[in-house]
Amino acid sequence: MIGLIRVFTAKDNEVLQAHGNLIHKQFEVPVMSRSIPDQPLGIYDDASEELALPKIVELGIQMEQEGCRLLIVSCAADPGVRELRSRVSIPVIGAGSSAALVALSLGEPVGLLGITEGIPPVMKVLLDELIVGYCRPEGVSNTTDLLTEAGRQTALEGARSLVQKGAKAIVFACTGFSTISFADVIRKELQVPVVDIVEAEGLMAANYYKQIISAS
Amino acid sequence: MIGLIRVFTAKDNEVLQAHGNLIHKQFEVPVMSRSIPDQPLGIYDDASEELALPKIVELGIQMEQEGCRLLIVSCAADPGVRELRSRVSIPVIGAGSSAALVALSLGEPVGLLGITEGIPPVMKVLLDELIVGYCRPEGVSNTTDLLTEAGRQTALEGARSLVQKGAKAIVFACTGFSTISFADVIRKELQVPVVDIVEAEGLMAANYYKQIISAS
C-alpha cells in the first residue's frame, strides 16, 4: 500500500481521496490517503507551514507503522519530505520535486501554472533556467475558483500566454489543477505536453512501489 | 511511434531492438530502433564521441521526418541530446538524464554501477551529493563480460559494496545492465530499489508520448 498525505484537513472523503484515486486509476497501485488534523485551510504561509510540518512527519511515521511501503506528500511545496526521509525507512516522494524532475527530463523551457503567490522553492531550484514564466490565473486564488467556467477560461489563457513566451511544456505548480483534470484541456487546446503534478508523483511513486512489491 | 537511437552500429537485429523491446513490453508504446552507421564499438572515448555526435543528430532528424513523435538517445552519457533538442521539433529523452532524475525523486544516497571508467558527466552533475560511490565491477569492461556467471557475481558484489557504503538505491550508469535484466537480480538479492536506465528512459518517454498521441 502507498500512503498519500494531504497537507490540509479534508472536509469530506471524496476530497481526501481525489489524488489517490487519480494515481490508482492511472498506475494501478493501491493508495491509502490521509490528511493532517486541524488545518482546514492547509498550508498558505510560513506560519501555517511551520504548524503543518510536525503533523506531516507524525502522520508519515504512523502510516509506515500501519504497513505503507512508500509515502507521497501530495503538495507542490514538498512540505515535510526532507524531514520524513530521515524519520522513516520507506521511500518518500514529493509532488513538487517529482513534477520538476519529469519536466527536466524533457529539457525544454517550461511555464508554470499555480494558484499561490510564487513558485514553490523546491520546483524553482530544480527547474531554474528552464522556467520562462509563472502564471497565477487572474481571479483564481483557490481551487474552487477553477471549478467555474470563468476560472477555467482564465487558467487556459494563462497557459496560452506561457506558450507564447516560449514554454514548450506547462508544469502544474499546484495540485488543484490535477483534481479538475486541467491537463487534458491544455493538451487538447494548446497541443503542448503538460506535467500534471499528481500524475508526476504517481509516476515516480508507482515506479518504486512496483519494484518493492515484486522483490518482497 | 517513438524513435530510439542506439549509439553504436548494431551487428544484428536482436541487439538493435533490445532496448526498444524492453520499453515496448513495460510501457506498451511502439518503438522503432535505429543505430548510427560505421561505429561498431560505439562511444568509448572523446574521439569516438565526437565522431558519433553528427551521426546521432542526423539520424534523429531523419527519424522525425519519418514520423517519429518522440526520440530517445539510449546511452548513459546522453550524447547528442542537447544538440538534437535544437534541431528537431519533437521531445528528446536521454537515458542518463532520465535515470538520474528518477533517482533524484527518491532523494536518497545512491550507488552507481557502470562498465566505463567514470560516471557520465550528465549523471554526475544531476546526482551530485547523493552519489556515495561508483562501481565498475572488476574484470567487466564490456557487456559481454556480464553474460558470464563470474561477471554477474562480480557485478552483484559491486552493488552490495555500494549498499554497504550507504547507498539506498542502485542506479545503472550503463544500459548493458538493463539488457541482461540485472535490476531484478539486485532487487531480489539486496532488497533495494534499482533505477534501471532503460526503464527510466522508457518511463519518461512513455509519459510524454502517451499525451502527444492522445492530444492529436
Side-chain angles (χ1 to χ4, degrees):
Chain A
M1 179 69 76
I2 290 174
L4 185 146
I5 297 174
R6 303 294 305 264
V7 303
F8 74 114
T9 310
K11 52 182 181 292
D12 66 46
N13 192 48
E14 195 186 338
V15 172
L16 173 64
Q17 305 293 341
H19 297 179
N21 285 345
L22 290 173
I23 293 170
H24 173 68
K25 195 174 157 195
Q26 186 155 7
F27 302 102
E28 295 168 355
V29 286
V31 186
M32 174 176 90
S33 300
R34 291 276 176 81
S35 65
I36 58 170
D38 305 325
Q39 270 189 253
L41 298 179
I43 295 175
Y44 48 89
D45 60 11
D46 289 352
S48 57
E49 182 167 358
E50 205 175 320
L51 198 65
L53 284 182
K55 299 180 190 175
I56 295 169
V57 172
E58 197 181 335
L59 182 53
I61 293 171
Q62 186 190 322
M63 291 171 98
E64 180 184 28
Q65 286 167 353
E66 287 175 27
C68 288
R69 307 291 296 273
L70 181 147
L71 296 174
I72 296 174
V73 178
S74 198
C75 169
D78 271 23
V81 165
R82 199 168 42 83
E83 294 83 351
L84 256 180
R85 282 180 180 153
S86 66
R87 297 292 302 279
V88 297
S89 63
I90 53 178
V92 181
I93 300 292
S97 49
S98 293
L101 294 166
V102 169
L104 272 176
S105 78
L106 197 62
E108 299 280 4
V110 293
L112 277 74
L113 211 54
I115 61 169
T116 51
E117 210 169 300
I119 303 173
V122 67
M123 301 187 76
K124 197 167 187 171
V125 167
L126 284 166
L127 288 168
D128 194 29
E129 289 177 356
L130 288 179
I131 300 174
V132 299
Y134 173 71
C135 175
R136 173 192 190 169
E138 216 176 317
V140 173
S141 58
N142 64 59
T143 51
T144 317
D145 294 331
L146 288 171
L147 298 176
T148 65
E149 188 48 39
R152 282 168 174 262
Q153 210 53 44
T154 321
L156 183 59
E157 284 317 307
R160 196 187 307 270
S161 73
L162 290 167
V163 170
Q164 281 160 353
K165 273 189 194 169
K168 298 289 183 198
I170 299 295
V171 181
F172 291 163
C174 168
T175 61
F177 292 99
S178 305
T179 320
I180 62 162
S181 303
F182 202 64
D184 284 340
V185 177
I186 299 176
R187 286 166 189 153
K188 290 221 167 77
E189 292 284 331
L190 306 181
Q191 303 282 318
V192 292
V194 177
V195 179
D196 178 302
I197 189 161
V198 172
E199 278 178 22
E201 72 187 20
L203 189 74
M204 297 298 196
N207 172 56
Y208 284 113
Y209 180 76
K210 285 174 182 171
Q211 26 179 313
I212 292 167
I213 293 309
S214 82
S216 64
Chain B
M1 180 71 73
I2 290 174
L4 185 146
I5 298 173
R6 303 296 303 266
V7 302
F8 74 114
T9 310
K11 52 183 179 291
D12 65 44
N13 192 49
E14 196 186 337
V15 171
L16 173 65
Q17 304 294 342
H19 297 178
N21 286 344
L22 289 173
I23 293 170
H24 173 68
K25 195 174 156 195
Q26 188 156 5
F27 301 103
E28 296 167 355
V29 286
V31 185
M32 175 176 89
S33 300
R34 292 274 176 84
S35 65
I36 58 170
D38 306 324
Q39 270 190 253
L41 298 179
I43 295 175
Y44 49 89
D45 59 11
D46 289 351
S48 57
E49 182 167 357
E50 205 175 319
L51 198 64
L53 283 183
K55 299 180 189 175
I56 294 169
V57 172
E58 198 183 334
L59 183 53
I61 292 172
Q62 187 191 320
M63 291 173 97
E64 180 186 27
Q65 284 166 354
E66 288 177 25
C68 289
R69 306 292 295 271
L70 181 146
L71 296 173
I72 297 174
V73 178
S74 198
C75 170
D78 271 23
V81 165
R82 200 169 39 84
E83 293 83 352
L84 257 181
R85 282 178 179 153
S86 66
R87 297 292 301 278
V88 297
S89 64
I90 53 179
V92 181
I93 300 291
S97 50
S98 294
L101 294 167
V102 170
L104 272 176
S105 79
L106 198 63
E108 299 279 3
V110 293
L112 277 74
L113 211 55
I115 62 170
T116 51
E117 212 170 299
I119 303 172
V122 65
M123 302 187 75
K124 199 166 185 171
V125 167
L126 284 166
L127 287 166
D128 193 32
E129 289 177 356
L130 288 180
I131 300 174
V132 301
Y134 173 71
C135 176
R136 172 192 190 171
E138 216 176 317
V140 174
S141 58
N142 63 60
T143 51
T144 318
D145 295 332
L146 287 171
L147 297 175
T148 65
E149 187 49 37
R152 282 166 176 266
Q153 210 52 47
T154 321
L156 183 60
E157 286 317 309
R160 197 187 306 273
S161 74
L162 291 167
V163 170
Q164 281 161 354
K165 273 189 193 168
K168 299 290 183 198
I170 299 295
V171 181
F172 291 164
C174 167
T175 60
F177 293 99
S178 305
T179 320
I180 63 162
S181 303
F182 202 65
D184 284 341
V185 178
I186 300 176
R187 287 166 187 154
K188 290 221 168 73
E189 291 286 331
L190 306 180
Q191 304 281 316
V192 292
V194 176
V195 179
D196 177 301
I197 189 162
V198 173
E199 278 178 20
E201 70 187 22
L203 190 73
M204 295 299 196
N207 172 56
Y208 285 112
Y209 180 76
K210 285 175 183 172
Q211 24 179 315
I212 290 167
I213 293 308
S214 84
S216 64

